[in-house]
Amino acid sequence: MAAPTVNPGHRRGAVRTPVAARIREAAAELFARQGFRGTGLRQVAAAAGVAVGTVYAHYRDKAALLRSVAEEQAAVIGRRLAPVHLTPGRPAAERWAAFRDVLRDALPWLACEAEAGAAVARGAGQRGEDRQGPVTAALHQGLARLLLEGARRGEVELPHLRPDAGRPALPAAAVEAAAGDAAAAVLAAALGLWERGRADDLDWLWWGLAARGPRQHEGTR
């Protein structure tokens, strides 16, 4: 698995000092390698060559630091996903292959955001799955768009929307919602595979969505 990309650039809203950049760079390496739970702010401070109080002066807690780092990662992911959507008529299976490579590299960040969301939710008495981090949001948006376009071309069969000749066409909003639900399920399953050391099995998730039969090659409707 390729190492997650660390983007040293700054996004609007991030702390814009050289010290903050060093902190984010050190944190990115530790989060990607050790996860959210396994990384402490003292470790980040030591890796960045600053006092732990300096880390707190820039980021109120570990969750805030992760979010700042994850926003940079999401920007990188967005740029990598752009070619998936900018090739008119590209088959859905080819788009999935490109998406899969981005997803595989981003899985450590999905895990970090899931851990952080669960920790923050426990403290706030909320459900962890209701919180979506920047990396998760970027991947979800990209995959939902891929699945929606594939469904419209007859190349993807969304769960609960299997072809039925006797059923009238569903409203566009219902199809979009189904694509969003399917994307969330795929990301959750991908994270589960990664946690079990089976990140190379991501294509199994695609085979559950790829259309079968003559509709697979029909044009856009």
Side-chain angles (χ1 to χ4, degrees), residues 144 147-152 158-159 161 169-182:
L147 295 178
L148 179 61
E149 292 173 354
R152 287 172 175 169
L158 299 173
L161 295 180
L170 291 169
V175 180
E176 291 178 7
D181 290 345

Side-chain angles (χ1 to χ4, degrees), residues 78-106:
R79 290 193 291 272
R80 290 185 64 190
L81 286 179
V84 177
H85 303 299
L86 294 181
T87 307
R90 190 176 183 184
E94 292 183 11
R95 294 186 182 200
W96 162 261
F99 179 86
R100 176 204 60 211
D101 293 342
V102 178
L103 172 60
R104 185 168 51 222
D105 292 346

